[in-house]
Amino acid sequence: MSTGFEATVTIDRPIDAVFMYLADGRNDPDFSPRVLRIDKSPDGVTAAGTVFHSTVKDAGVKSERDFEITELTAPTRIRWREASRNSITVREGGYDLEPDPGGGTRVRLFNVLEGHGIGRLLLPLAGGASRKDAPDFGRRIKVAAERAI
């Protein structure tokens, strides 16, 4: 059983710079208030196989999350999957980037959520909350990227 959400936003920065910013998951706390801490393994340039270890807080509950980069095609595509086992995980997520005619970058973000155990019962609520927040999440990414780049 799964559900998902997506958001699309135009960031007023060049595609190469936006790709580099988004490929470094250590920037996630800039736009995702649920991320309390995040580290990268191994150090160096993000590549397929890179894992971002994070501590997040959802609905008042802290959990540890490991996201593995499964595909990186500069400067247009980033894919990940959650390698940790929690009640609700990300089966697949990603960014699709394309140049905007005005010189910026159009970014589509998506996540496919999957429930495990009790998470199967919670999945409709989590999916609904994620879909409701998706437009604001996209705007937070835009603001953070434009500030950082």
Side-chain angles (χ1 to χ4, degrees):
M1 181 177 202
S2 65
T3 189
F5 71 91
E6 70 176 71
T8 302
V9 65
T10 300
I11 299 173
D12 296 325
R13 298 294 183 266
I15 191 169
D16 291 323
V18 174
F19 179 86
M20 293 300 294
Y21 177 77
L22 294 175
D24 188 348
R26 294 173 297 182
N27 292 318
D28 285 10
D30 294 351
F31 51 82
S32 183
R34 64 188 286 274
V35 178
L36 304 175
R37 181 194 58 76
I38 193 160
D39 299 305
K40 179 179 170 183
S41 177
D43 288 332
V45 176
T46 302
T50 297
V51 176
F52 290 95
H53 309 281
S54 62
T55 301
V56 301
K57 190 171 187 179
D58 292 308
V61 178
K62 285 185 184 179
S63 62
E64 300 298 317
R65 307 274 175 166
D66 292 333
F67 288 92
E68 179 185 1
I69 299 297
T70 58
E71 181 183 345
L72 219 60
T73 305
T76 59
R77 188 174 164 100
I78 302 169
R79 293 290 184 271
W80 58 80
R81 72 171 187 84
E82 187 168 349
S84 50
R85 286 301 268 188
N86 288 288
S87 58
I88 297 175
T89 60
V90 176
R91 182 175 71 207
E92 179 188 14
Y95 294 112
D96 293 313
L97 295 81
E98 62 183 54
D100 183 70
T105 304
R106 183 175 165 87
V107 177
R108 175 184 162 262
L109 155 74
F110 75 94
N111 274 314
V112 178
L113 306 175
E114 189 170 61
H116 310 279
I118 190 75
R120 291 181 181 165
L121 298 173
L122 300 173
L123 189 61
L125 293 171
S130 296
R131 282 187 296 280
K132 182 178 178 185
D133 183 56
D136 288 336
F137 190 47
R139 283 190 281 279
R140 290 192 304 269
I141 292 170
K142 174 182 173 58
V143 168
E146 289 176 357
R147 185 180 309 133
I149 301 171

